[in-house]
Amino acid sequence: MKDYGYYQSPIGLIEIIADDKIISLGFVTEIVDDNLINPNNLVINQCLMQLDQYFKQELTTFNLPLNIKGTPFQELVWKQASKIPYGKTITYQELAQKINKPTAVRAVGSALGKNRLAIFIPCHRVVASNNKIINYFWGKERKLFLQRLEKIVT
């Protein structure tokens, strides 16, 4: 059974869906149904605590069980994106090279756009080669906020 939790971040309401792992984490405009919130889900409670620490700049690495589901290519991209350290960026081209698919820059961008574990799989740390903010699923303003939070200068 899926449980829901919500975190009010400085950049909007974050919805957490979990069972014994985090299934998705993303920005929403409202709470879907209060009856779905389970205050006893330990994974969600741990997630809420870690998100709070992250936004207070007290946490740079998350330690949560994630349910990462996608195509093999998407999972490869997400796994590599998860290795980008806090406060650092790489380009879409560099990410494509790291997965040994140097011509798959657009496919890398597409895979990142399907990431449903915002912040935990840090797509906000992937930038264009000219450092312009392009196509962030959760909105360019949020990507910029997260980069500033992590003191990433682009």
Side-chain angles (χ1 to χ4, degrees):
M1 179 174 167
K2 295 179 190 174
D3 294 320
Y4 287 69
Y6 292 88
Y7 178 79
Q8 185 59 57
S9 81
I11 50 175
L13 185 64
I14 296 176
E15 179 180 72
I16 305 148
I17 303 173
D19 44 27
D20 60 336
K21 294 181 180 181
I22 304 293
I23 298 167
S24 91
L25 181 124
F27 294 92
V28 296
T29 55
E30 61 186 47
I31 295 174
V32 177
D33 183 350
D34 286 332
N35 295 321
L36 297 174
I37 297 173
N38 181 357
N40 299 316
N41 184 305
L42 298 177
V43 174
I44 289 177
N45 290 334
Q46 186 70 23
C47 180
L48 292 169
M49 185 175 67
Q50 288 189 29
L51 283 171
D52 197 50
Q53 291 172 329
Y54 171 78
F55 282 106
K56 289 178 180 175
Q57 297 180 300
E58 298 169 352
L59 180 79
T60 59
T61 304
F62 294 99
N63 182 19
L64 295 163
L66 304 177
N67 185 352
I68 299 173
K69 297 251 181 183
T71 67
F73 180 79
Q74 288 169 341
E75 290 180 16
L76 180 65
V77 170
W78 298 337
K79 182 178 179 183
Q80 190 63 48
S82 295
K83 295 178 183 178
I84 305 167
Y86 180 94
K88 303 290 183 194
T89 62
I90 66 171
T91 66
Y92 292 94
Q93 180 67 58
E94 290 170 324
L95 186 53
Q97 290 170 344
K98 286 184 180 289
I99 62 167
N100 296 316
K101 306 277 186 191
T103 61
V105 177
R106 288 179 188 238
V108 164
S110 177
L112 291 174
K114 292 177 176 60
N115 168 24
R116 295 299 174 258
L117 290 163
I119 304 171
F120 298 150
I121 298 177
C123 298
H124 61 278
R125 297 178 189 156
V126 184
V127 298
S129 46
N130 61 5
N131 281 331
K132 286 191 176 178
I133 304 294
I134 56 171
N135 300 336
Y136 184 61
F137 184 82
W138 305 107
K140 291 179 183 181
E141 302 80 22
R142 287 188 176 118
K143 185 168 187 168
L144 282 170
F145 180 94
L146 294 170
Q147 288 180 350
R148 287 185 193 118
L149 179 76
E150 295 184 15
K151 297 182 178 28
I152 296 170
V153 179
T154 57

